Amino acid sequence: MRFLRPLLVLVALLFGLATIVAGTRVLAGADPGYVVFRPLLFYNVAMGVAYVAAGVLAWRNLARGKRAAAAIFVLNLVVLAAIAWLYSSGGAVAIESVRAMILRTAVWLLLFLGLAWAHRRAAAA
């Protein structure tokens, strides 16, 4: 599975860059078409940078990349729980934000699982 690690790194890097670009556009005034919960927007842009850093880490050191992906997954899960609670209690969080956070959390769970599997295979080799 020589292609797995580069594929996971590429996904992390592209996902991070897309997150940075989308968030920066909204911060610069672009209208996403729904109410923006600004603390979540700032979190997402900062995490976009972390996504890129995690991709670079995974390329350089599989174990560190795996740990970074695990940390990102956990942080995203905590934020997802918080905004889901805000949304369900009538807070100023749009359903689109909840859905996007579900996607981010799922992507990082899959990246973590893929990197963990690749790390186990590399250690066994």
Side-chain angles (χ1 to χ4, degrees), residues 80-106:
L80 172 59
I83 66 166
W85 178 80
L86 283 171
Y87 175 77
S88 68
S89 64
V93 175
I95 189 63
E96 291 85 358
S97 294
V98 175
R99 289 179 183 140
M101 206 63 222
I102 290 169
L103 174 66
R104 287 181 185 93
T105 305

